[in-house]
Amino acid sequence: MNSLQSLKKLLVYRNILSDPLLLAMMDAESGDSCETAGRLVAKAEEIGLSGDIVKEYIIYLLNSVESVFSRTAEHADGKIGDGLLAAAEHDVKILRGLFRQDMEMFCWPLLKNYRPTIPGQSKSRQGIRKFFLPDGNMTDADAVRGLRRHYRHYGYGALADYMAFKWDEKGQKLVGVNSCDNITFDGLIGYGRQKKELIDNTEAFLKGLPANNVLLFGERGAGKSSSVKALINKFFDDGLRLVEIPRSQFAQLPAVMGGLKNWGKKFILYLDDLSFEEFEVEYKQLKSIIDGGIEAKPDNVLIYATSNRRNIVKEVWADNEGDELHRSDTINEKVSLADRFGVKIFFPSPDQRAYFEIIAALAARAGLDIGEDELRREAVKWEMSHTGRSGRIASQLIAYLGGRREAKAGDN
């Protein structure tokens, strides 16, 4: 008998039974399982399953598919009634019993010890598997308590697997970003005060304390965007997720916020390189959406924007010297968008001393064997041939010097 048939007894995890591949696995018999096994191999390559891929695929479904248990734990901050806990324990007992068995029709060594081309890196999936795979020291009740904590911290589905998201305008849903920048605050040299102010505001937000929308403004390449991305790497385990909204989707912001308010996670809506020319009126729509429209921004959403301009909307001398009767009204209208951000953090261009410090730190991190005097000479030449001093310019110099050294070593 196909041991997977026991899954039909599930209560809170019954949604996994709608998965076509799992249904095919449940119906397969020893003699006709090759087609199903081939589909399983293809899925293992797609999502990076390793080891016993029959069991690992079921764990993937338990992590990804919404259940009444995962949804309640995520939305109610882990507070679950005794009835649902008992039902979850019933399912965990079935699943853990199943995982102790060998799947007879899928007993090929290939499927029991599979090695994909690119192993999956899902932190959430690695976290959830320990509650289902056999462990003599863990009871079913212990596993349920662990799962409750897991869903509360990581959520389920895409929110469990991805740190950052784009918005699918057509499907009206979040789409996970596979290659999220792994930058950390330790990797950002300098700007200690700015980083602390950003972290403090975000920590308050995660703790449910009053927090503000944030505008990071200042020089190009100073680390504004990198600082926002570093927040996600720092606070992912605390339930923070990033949703980047390009300018072309600003009209979708009400729909995005309406979708996010139904999750128990905290979200930063990230508006990168925000600026408007004086003749562009889209800023008025954005201003209303951020703060001032009829529909309030959800409590689990903050907006972080980066811009080279403090006031976002370009100002011209005509605003002060024009022939409009109430010139102050024009000025107030243009600065009112920036006023929607309660915290404004300025990232200035580093002076030459700070610039040299950034370069020296990056060179040491890259393992560049180059003397201090030579490095300074290269830094000055690079600065003069580019657009000034910034962390981005410094990183480009280190990449250039590293590439030149490797090329010379290859020639020798």
Side-chain angles (χ1 to χ4, degrees):
M1 178 182 175
N2 188 328
S3 56
L4 295 178
Q5 292 294 320
S6 63
L7 295 176
K8 292 181 178 180
K9 299 178 182 179
L10 294 177
L11 299 177
V12 300
Y13 284 113
R14 288 197 67 81
N15 283 358
I16 71 172
L17 300 180
S18 63
D19 180 74
L21 178 53
L22 179 60
L23 290 176
M25 291 162 58
M26 292 172 64
D27 291 339
E29 299 296 338
S30 298
D32 62 357
S33 61
C34 290
E35 189 273 338
T36 301
R39 292 170 58 188
L40 185 60
V41 168
K43 197 67 179 181
E45 286 296 316
E46 177 185 339
I47 58 180
L49 298 180
S50 301
D52 188 332
I53 57 175
V54 175
K55 297 176 181 178
E56 292 297 331
Y57 184 65
I58 297 173
I59 290 172
Y60 160 77
L61 293 177
L62 294 169
N63 182 63
S64 303
V65 176
E66 177 182 341
S67 70
V68 63
F69 180 45
S70 62
R71 182 177 64 249
T72 304
E74 199 266 346
H75 284 260
D77 198 28
K79 299 176 178 66
I80 296 178
D82 291 341
L84 183 54
L85 286 174
E89 189 171 339
H90 166 273
D91 281 15
V92 166
K93 183 177 182 179
I94 292 172
L95 290 161
R96 298 182 81 204
L98 174 64
F99 288 153
R100 291 188 182 97
Q101 303 177 37
D102 282 331
M103 313 302 180
E104 293 182 1
M105 72 292 300
F106 296 110
C107 61
W108 308 341
L110 171 68
L111 300 186
K112 293 178 69 67
N113 190 27
Y114 191 83
R115 293 292 176 263
T117 304
I118 303 176
Q121 300 296 321
S122 170
K123 188 174 183 179
S124 175
R125 196 162 74 224
Q126 292 302 315
I128 203 174
R129 67 194 305 275
K130 65 177 177 286
F131 301 118
F132 292 106
L133 297 182
D135 183 344
N137 297 321
M138 183 182 294
T139 67
D140 296 336
D142 291 336
V144 169
R145 285 191 290 270
L147 286 166
R148 179 176 60 178
R149 292 191 298 270
H150 176 91
Y151 290 129
R152 179 168 62 87
H153 280 287
Y154 292 101
Y156 54 88
L159 287 188
D161 283 330
Y162 297 100
M163 296 182 177
F165 299 84
K166 302 283 188 178
W167 178 253
D168 178 0
E169 187 172 341
K170 184 177 181 180
Q172 294 289 289
K173 63 180 181 180
L174 296 175
V175 177
V177 176
N178 285 314
S179 54
C180 189
D181 195 334
N182 61 1
I183 187 70
T184 66
F185 283 109
D186 290 339
L188 295 171
I189 311 301
Y191 298 102
R193 180 190 62 78
Q194 290 87 343
K195 291 188 290 189
K196 182 178 186 306
E197 190 171 2
L198 185 63
I199 290 172
D200 288 348
N201 187 75
T202 307
E203 285 183 329
F205 174 50
L206 291 170
K207 293 176 181 177
L209 302 174
N212 282 289
N213 298 323
V214 178
L215 174 64
L216 301 86
F217 71 98
E219 299 297 327
R220 304 183 309 275
K224 304 182 294 294
S225 299
S226 294
S227 294
V228 176
K229 296 171 186 175
L231 286 172
I232 305 305
N233 291 307
K234 181 176 179 63
F235 292 117
F236 174 76
D237 289 346
D238 298 303
L240 187 66
R241 304 292 184 269
L242 182 74
V243 182
E244 183 174 8
I245 304 295
R247 181 169 171 169
S248 61
Q249 290 187 332
F250 282 177
Q252 290 288 310
L253 279 171
V256 176
M257 290 192 286
L260 298 183
K261 71 180 180 182
N262 297 320
W263 291 94
K265 295 286 158 285
K266 303 281 189 176
F267 294 92
I268 290 176
L269 287 184
Y270 174 41
L271 314 181
D272 191 29
D273 198 17
L274 190 61
S275 66
F276 296 93
E277 297 298 325
E278 58 172 331
F279 56 84
E280 296 175 311
V281 297
E282 291 92 339
Y283 74 89
K284 295 182 180 180
Q285 180 186 36
L286 180 60
K287 180 180 67 173
S288 176
I289 291 170
I290 293 177
D291 183 16
I294 295 176
E295 184 176 359
K297 178 172 64 60
D299 291 337
N300 66 330
V301 175
L302 280 183
I303 297 175
Y304 284 14
T306 65
S307 177
N308 294 332
R309 300 172 179 167
R310 180 187 181 93
N311 288 329
I312 303 176
V313 184
K314 183 178 181 179
E315 298 175 87
V316 296
W317 284 111
D319 292 337
N320 293 311
E321 300 175 353
D323 57 3
E324 185 176 349
L325 183 60
H326 300 288
R327 292 193 300 273
S328 63
D329 291 346
T330 297
I331 297 172
N332 288 334
E333 173 69 20
K334 289 188 173 183
V335 302
S336 60
L337 176 56
D339 286 343
R340 263 55 179 180
F341 297 90
V343 173
K344 299 183 182 69
I345 305 176
F346 177 48
F347 283 73
S349 177
D351 59 24
Q352 195 164 65
R353 178 180 177 182
Y355 176 60
F356 287 150
E357 290 176 353
I358 292 172
I359 290 175
L362 292 175
R365 185 176 300 162
L368 271 182
D369 184 16
I370 183 171
E372 181 178 346
D373 291 341
E374 182 183 354
L375 187 61
R376 282 177 173 267
R377 287 194 298 270
E378 294 288 354
V380 171
K381 288 192 297 182
W382 194 260
E383 174 191 344
M384 294 176 64
S385 63
H386 289 72
T387 56
R389 297 186 293 265
S390 72
R392 180 184 298 154
I393 297 297
S395 295
Q396 292 168 352
L397 170 61
I398 298 303
Y400 167 76
L401 293 176
R404 192 173 67 178
R405 286 293 172 100
E406 289 187 15
K408 287 183 177 180
D411 292 340
N412 295 332

